[in-house]
Every structure is written in C-alpha cells, then in structure tokens.
Amino acid sequence: MDTNFPLVVIEGLDGTGKTTLRKGLFRLIQGLYGVTPLSVLTTNWLDETVAADLEEGKYRPSAANRDAYLKALCADKRATVSRLIRPALPFRPVIADRWVISELAFCAVKHALPPETTYAALKDAIGVRADITLLLEASATDAVARAALRADDSARADWDVVPVQERVRTVHQEITARPQDFGLLGPIVQIDASGDRPTVLSTAWAALREHRLLPALPLKEIS
C-alpha cells in the first residue's frame, strides 16, 4: 500500500454473505482510516455498446450467443477497470463484490466454457491483479436456503437452486486447487461463511492484515 490502495475481491455462492462482508469492510476501512472505499459490483454494465449481448448471454444463455457474451463481458470488464478501478486505486481501496471467479463459474455452468478459456479472454481485458480474493465457503444447500431468505427478488429459479449451485461450487474448487493458473485472482483466502457476521468479518480483516493490505492506523493527537 506504499503507492496504491488494494483491490479486494469478495466471491462465493449466492447467499453466502458477500454483500454483508463488503459493507462491513467498507465501514471498518472508512471508520479506522478516514478513507471511503469504492464498491464495485460485477454487474456494472458500463459499456453500453455491449449491453444487449450481456443481457442475452446472461439471461438466455445458448450456444448461439456464447461467443458474443464472452466478447461483451471482456468489453465491460475493460470499461470497469479503465473508468472505475484504475482511477480509484491511487486514492482509495476498491472492494469488488464478485469479479473474476463468478464469471468463470457462470460461463462454465451456463455456456459450457472451461474456466481457463474464459480466464484467457478476461486476462487481457482486465489487466489488474487483485491484491486478495476472499472466497466465502458454504454448501450449496445452505447457500440456497440463505439466498431464499433475502428480502429482494434477486433469487433466480434457473440459478439459485441446489443442483446449479453445486456445479458452481465445483468450479470454485477447481480454481482454488490450481491458483497458479489464475494469477489475476491474487492470493485466494477461503472463509467459512457459516459463522456469524462478526466472525466472518473478523476473519476477513485478519486476512487483509496477514497479507499486509492495511496501513498503519493514523496517530491521533492527544489533547
């Protein structure tokens, strides 16, 4: 953190508490260091020229739109990096709620693309290595049950179901088994998401400290 603030990525199955952890880290960093992080969501869709291909490939995936979806995904990631992430990092931490692993899993499950194929395409488009990826771990059954309790209507019948989430979790395991093949993820720290919120946040905070991603606390004047 001598020249730049860190890019912190939070990944995991739907319902594992990614949003809760992102908000917790946001408040801690803002309160302790007096700097407001930038929160980035994977669904930024900042490149309006590929919005139609993104929507088609995400919500109606098929062999016919697979290549167009991957190309659009790369274009949108490139826009997110150039417009949001790179300009922010010299001044503030960036916390990404989903980033690369989620895209690898989605393309594997819905478009039958091996993770390494999607990664090869995204690597050139993104070009920024995460300083750490926090992967929230839970069984597919627990994750789906928790996702169903959310107050919004974001759960999808073709996605937030146990068989699909089990396939997503399998992709996660394949990636974490060979992190050297996915360098943009940075160090991957797996966190048990079954604990209560303070425990999960404490574990994530300890991981940031262990990887030296937190600056020294500012000294307060004594009056």
Side-chain angles (χ1 to χ4, degrees), residues 11-13 16 100-102 104-106 108-109 115-116 133 135-141 162-182 185 188-191:
E11 295 276 10
L13 300 181
T16 51
V100 174
I101 289 181
S102 293
L104 303 184
F106 180 84
V109 172
E116 54 270 22
T133 294
L135 179 59
L136 297 178
E137 287 281 4
S139 70
T141 301
V162 171
V164 173
Q165 291 302 300
E166 284 180 341
R167 292 169 62 193
V168 172
R169 190 165 187 264
T170 297
V171 177
H172 289 182
Q173 293 169 337
E174 292 173 358
I175 294 168
T176 55
R178 45 192 178 97
Q180 69 278 4
D181 294 336
F182 305 96
L185 305 181
I188 304 172
V189 176
Q190 300 179 66
I191 297 175

Side-chain angles (χ1 to χ4, degrees), residues 13-18 98 140-156 159-161 165:
L13 300 181
D14 286 1
T16 51
K18 294 183 298 299
R98 299 183 182 272
T141 301
D142 288 346
V144 168
R146 290 172 63 173
L149 296 176
R150 291 184 297 209
D152 56 29
D153 59 353
S154 59
R156 293 171 53 190
W159 184 256
D160 291 299
V161 291
Q165 291 302 300

